[in-house]
């Protein structure tokens, strides 16, 4: 079943599904090469899909549902938390590009190219910094994922459970 559709779109870098409008219906959120996050409403609603871009100052690489909205990791090392109505709640600049983003409870974990995982609280403040092995010659980048069993970061042959 086709749920969302948009033509002439820039390349999608990351996607998430959450209720960003606060109407009780989840929207499809995607980050694109135009340095913006776009929100698409389901096609089965009475109105046509509405795209509401939010510029983030760089290409958003990773999006995840977080708090009452979503978090976005921008290629330049910026993490942005966005709430209902596409309102930017906070922005935190980390020292390196971000390769992964995951949430565990109220903590947002960001995996950076500088070889650290940064833990951020709900206001964007750094509350932890944890080293991870990063191979500088590797074409693979560290990645993060969250699920019912917990939050994990994979870097090369190493997997760290947070």
């Amino acid at each position: 079943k086709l749920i969302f559709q948009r033509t002439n779109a820039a390349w999608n870098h990351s996607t998430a599904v959450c209720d960003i409008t606060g109407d009780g219906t989840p929207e499809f959120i995607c980050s694109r090469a135009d340095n913006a996050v776009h929100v698409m409403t389901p096609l089965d609603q009475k109105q046509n899909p509405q795209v509401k871009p939010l510029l983030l100052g760089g290409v958003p690489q990773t999006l995840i549902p977080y708090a009452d909205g979503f978090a976005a990791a921008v290629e330049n090392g910026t993490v942005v938390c966005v709430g209902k109505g596409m309102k930017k709640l906070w922005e935190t600049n980390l020292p390196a590009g971000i390769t992964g983003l995951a949430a565990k409870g109220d903590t947002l974990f960001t995996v950076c190219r500088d070889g650290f995982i940064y833990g951020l609280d709900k206001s964007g403040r750094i509350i932890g910094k944890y080293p991870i092995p990063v191979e500088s010659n590797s074409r693979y980048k560290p990645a993060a994922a969250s699920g019912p069993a917990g939050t994990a970061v994979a870097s090369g042959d190493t997997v760290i459970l947070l």
Side-chain angles (χ1 to χ4, degrees):
K1 175 181 173 184
L2 178 65
I3 300 173
F4 302 99
Q5 182 177 18
R6 180 171 181 213
T7 58
N8 300 325
W11 186 267
N12 290 334
H13 286 275
S14 184
T15 60
V17 176
C18 63
D19 179 15
I20 198 66
T21 59
D23 65 359
T25 302
E27 286 82 31
F28 177 76
I29 301 166
C30 56
S31 65
R32 300 223 169 107
D34 61 359
N35 296 344
V37 174
H38 297 265
V39 176
M40 300 176 74
T41 55
L43 286 174
D44 56 2
Q45 291 185 356
K46 293 180 182 178
Q47 60 197 50
N48 290 329
Q50 296 179 353
V51 178
K52 304 165 189 166
L54 175 65
L55 292 172
L56 296 179
V59 178
Q61 297 294 313
T62 305
L63 300 174
I64 63 167
Y66 180 67
D68 287 330
F70 66 91
V74 182
E75 64 185 346
N76 62 5
T78 301
V79 180
V80 179
C81 184
V82 178
K84 300 287 185 215
M86 293 292 279
K87 179 182 176 188
K88 191 185 295 186
L89 302 176
W90 54 258
E91 181 176 308
T92 298
N93 295 309
L94 297 175
I98 299 168
T99 64
L101 193 61
K104 181 179 180 183
D106 289 342
T107 304
L108 188 63
F109 292 99
T110 59
V111 183
C112 289
R113 292 186 185 276
D114 66 352
F116 288 94
I117 302 167
Y118 294 86
L120 306 176
D121 67 10
K122 285 185 94 171
S123 66
R125 187 177 46 126
I126 297 173
I127 57 172
K129 182 178 175 182
Y130 316 96
I132 56 170
V134 176
E135 296 179 29
S136 59
N137 296 333
S138 176
R139 65 184 175 130
Y140 300 105
K141 59 184 183 177
S146 289
T151 299
V153 174
S155 180
D157 293 335
T158 303
V159 177
I160 301 166
L161 185 62
L162 303 172

